[in-house]
Amino acid sequence: MEPLDAATLAESSIKIARHQDDVHAALAGVVHDYFPLPESEYFSMGLEEYRALMLQAQSCLVNSNFMSRIVDSIKPTLEDYLGTADFLVQSNLYLRASRPDMPKHYENIDWHRESFYGPNLEKSVNIWTPILGVSSKNSLRYIPKSHVIPDDQIITYNEGTSVTPRYSTGHKLGFNYDPKVIHSGVDLETAQTLVVPDKSSAIFSGNLIHGAAINLDSQIRFSTDFQVIRKADYSVNNKKFHFSSGKPYFTDIESH
Ligand SMILES: O=C(O)CCC(=O)C(=O)O
Ligand SMILES: [Fe+2]
């Protein structure tokens, strides 16, 4: 599947930014360090063991400050997108490592906009970066132009899951302990796949409905994502501390 042209993506708030340096090789190197075996060895691993491994790799990426490294690699494009150089960066990132053929909720996040899961995140901006194994059969999906749908038109219900208890390893990996499901207000039939070339990141509004990246391919899909927010859009209502990093949710880029 060919990437959509820039003008079409822009209608959905999406901008693809090519990296200015080799951050992609560094990301792939960390994944190889933590997942050194042939991929099939991981397919049969139990969920908790696999999530523990994912968390080790994610912690390595956070401790090596790949949030800043990715931001640095797309800085001019990101500042142009935000219209300012004054922004904050999430103090952690999430590593996605979704295996083929896993049951719903095990390794992918259902359709959402960021404000489903945190106050004031409607002004947040997502940065999503493919690492390894990303294809049009397992990549992130989105609903075109859905970032403009008002919150009060979107009706959700809480589905409940026993797969990810609150404060568990899965929760630290960004899996929801009380996932919301969109009941109405969004035409999920119009879903598109977000094709992001390697050595690039996608920048998009936290309000864009996205997710549901079920892995229909035969390899593990490794990608990473975090949010940024303009300082002008940051409010005291933004989550003070990020449960997964133990740091403020958003921080100045120098102070990670
Ligand atoms: O990659 C995924 O499956 C989810 C990513 C996501 O929700 C995000 O980038 O905000
Ligand atoms: Fe998201």
Side-chain angles (χ1 to χ4, degrees), residues 113 116 146 149-156 181-186 207 209:
R113 60 172 35 157
F116 282 12
S146 56
I149 302 173
D151 275 343
D152 61 8
Q153 276 183 28
I154 302 180
I155 310 299
T156 64
V181 179
I182 294 176
H183 171 263
S184 58
V186 183
N207 264 346
I209 304 289

Side-chain angles (χ1 to χ4, degrees), residues 1 4 13 35 40 43 53 73 75 82 104 118 127 139 146 166 176 179 194 197-198 222 231 237-238 251:
M1 192 191 290
L4 291 170
S13 82
F35 296 84
S40 56
F43 292 172
L53 186 58
S73 77
K75 202 157 221 175
L82 297 172
K104 203 177 167 202
I127 300 180
S139 193
S146 56
R166 198 170 187 182
N176 307 117
L194 184 55
D198 277 350
F222 293 97
K231 283 189 187 169
N237 292 330
N238 281 85
T251 59

Side-chain angles (χ1 to χ4, degrees), residues 17-217:
R18 180 122 188 118
H19 299 160
Q20 295 184 313
D21 58 26
D22 223 359
V23 69
H24 178 263
L27 287 163
V30 172
V31 168
H32 281 305
D33 286 347
Y34 284 87
F35 296 84
L37 303 176
E39 283 212 351
S40 56
E41 305 271 331
Y42 299 104
F43 292 172
S44 55
M45 201 179 253
L47 186 65
E48 280 312 309
E49 193 187 350
Y50 186 70
R51 285 185 167 184
L53 186 58
M54 279 174 71
L55 187 58
Q56 284 180 29
Q58 177 177 294
S59 300
C60 174
L61 293 173
V62 172
N63 294 335
S64 309
N65 203 356
F66 272 92
M67 298 75 74
S68 295
R69 289 170 75 169
I70 293 170
V71 162
D72 282 345
S73 77
I74 57 170
K75 202 157 221 175
T77 312
L78 181 59
E79 289 182 358
D80 184 53
Y81 184 97
L82 297 172
T84 176
D86 273 338
F87 61 91
L88 301 168
V89 180
Q90 193 178 322
S91 58
N92 77 310
L93 51 67
Y94 292 120
L95 173 68
R96 317 290 177 179
S98 71
R99 295 177 288 184
D101 278 335
M102 297 301 288
K104 203 177 167 202
H105 292 317
Y106 275 40
E107 273 151 44
N108 70 78
I109 315 280
D110 209 350
W111 293 117
H112 66 283
R113 60 172 35 157
E114 299 313 327
S115 57
F116 282 12
Y117 297 115
N120 281 74
L121 291 178
E122 63 276 0
K123 298 281 179 61
S124 68
V125 169
N126 284 339
I127 300 180
W128 190 95
T129 306
I131 305 178
L132 287 168
V134 180
S135 79
S136 59
K137 288 166 128 178
N138 63 20
S139 193
L140 191 66
R141 294 194 295 152
Y142 68 97
I143 306 302
K145 303 181 191 171
S146 56
H147 58 300
V148 299
I149 302 173
D151 275 343
D152 61 8
Q153 276 183 28
I154 302 180
I155 310 299
T156 64
Y157 60 93
N158 289 59
E159 195 177 36
T161 171
S162 55
V163 180
T164 303
R166 198 170 187 182
Y167 305 127
S168 63
T169 301
H171 187 185
K172 288 182 186 152
L173 289 164
F175 295 109
N176 307 117
Y177 60 88
D178 192 13
K180 291 184 176 168
V181 179
I182 294 176
H183 171 263
S184 58
V186 183
D187 185 1
L188 300 175
E189 300 291 313
T190 64
Q192 288 275 349
T193 303
L194 184 55
V195 179
V196 184
D198 277 350
K199 303 183 185 171
S200 306
S201 298
I203 306 169
F204 59 93
S205 164
N207 264 346
L208 187 71
I209 304 289
H210 63 280
I214 297 157
N215 191 345
L216 301 174
D217 215 326

